[in-house]
Amino acid sequence: MALMKIYTHPDPVLREKCTEIDQFDDELTTLVSNMVETMYASDGIGLAAPQVGVARRLIVLDVSSSEDRGRKVLALVNPEITMQEGELEWDEGCLSLPDINGIVTRAEKIRVDAKNLEGEELTLEAEGLLAVALQHEIDHLNGVLFTDHLSPLKRKLVLREYKKLQEESEPS
Ligand code: ZN
């Protein structure tokens, strides 16, 4: 396993519409292992393939509390939201937009169709944090970042803050 580089905004790979996966081979398994390791190393609860520079429809998630981490990892190929209901607000962050966050309105409950690493179809229902994380990661596969869901004013403020923090962290 190997840690992968996490691409951050405004890298263009984060804006790509990712392509479907139709090869369920060792390469996919290795990519998933590396993404899972990268997610844990960054203390993330989810990671989408474009965030590691791969514009394919693949996400990994683990929203469990710290003592369960590593035991309930989900890897979903070509995930698609097929049902959503209700509404909730969540204070979201993103490994591709380090150090900023913002409150996003999401569906409270969703159903997702996807494939597992063997190419078998599966359906899962989620609510609360898992539903939010799934919506956030699936957005990445369509080139959407959480900041796109904020009001124009809020987005401007958050992105200005982000730019400032990025400039401060880069040696000039
Ligand atoms: Zn994200």
Side-chain angles (χ1 to χ4, degrees):
M1 295 208 284
L3 284 182
M4 301 181 83
K5 174 192 164 184
I6 296 182
Y7 289 69
T8 54
H9 173 73
D11 195 287
V13 73
L14 297 171
R15 293 305 188 177
E16 279 189 47
K17 170 105 174 122
C18 299
T19 55
E20 291 218 337
I21 289 171
D22 49 18
Q23 302 266 55
F24 297 84
D25 52 13
D26 288 350
E27 206 178 308
L28 178 65
T29 312
T30 304
L31 174 59
V32 167
S33 305
N34 292 341
M35 280 174 62
V36 168
E37 196 188 359
T38 305
M39 172 179 75
Y40 286 134
S42 318
D43 268 332
I45 61 169
L47 193 65
Q51 294 184 275
V52 290
V54 180
R56 308 303 304 274
R57 304 189 81 79
L58 168 67
I59 60 176
V60 298
L61 300 108
D62 184 351
V63 300
S64 47
S65 53
S66 49
E67 62 269 28
D68 281 332
R69 268 172 94 71
R71 280 193 266 164
K72 290 183 188 162
V73 65
L74 265 179
L76 301 177
V77 177
N78 305 336
E80 211 179 316
I81 295 169
T82 53
M83 186 279 288
Q84 46 186 319
E85 60 181 49
E87 216 175 77
L88 87 176
E89 290 190 327
W90 208 278
D91 196 6
E92 295 187 23
C94 180
L95 294 174
S96 293
L97 288 149
D99 304 322
I100 59 162
N101 56 291
I103 292 174
V104 179
T105 304
R106 299 283 189 185
E108 186 185 8
K109 279 185 172 182
I110 58 168
R111 186 183 302 138
V112 173
D113 284 352
K115 286 186 172 173
N116 66 15
L117 296 186
E118 281 78 49
E120 297 159 347
E121 288 180 13
L122 64 100
T123 297
L124 87 129
E125 287 188 11
E127 55 182 64
L129 174 58
L130 181 58
V132 168
L134 282 162
Q135 290 168 83
H136 178 116
E137 300 311 330
I138 293 171
D139 264 357
H140 275 301
L141 306 182
N142 298 314
V144 175
L145 301 175
F146 83 85
T147 44
D148 299 341
H149 292 287
L150 303 174
S151 70
L153 177 64
K154 183 74 186 160
R155 175 160 63 235
K156 205 172 148 190
L157 291 172
V158 164
L159 290 176
R160 189 190 292 159
E161 173 71 7
Y162 174 73
K163 207 171 160 209
K164 204 177 114 210
L165 291 168
Q166 293 296 101
E167 283 165 3
E168 280 169 8
S169 64
E170 273 167 30
S172 50

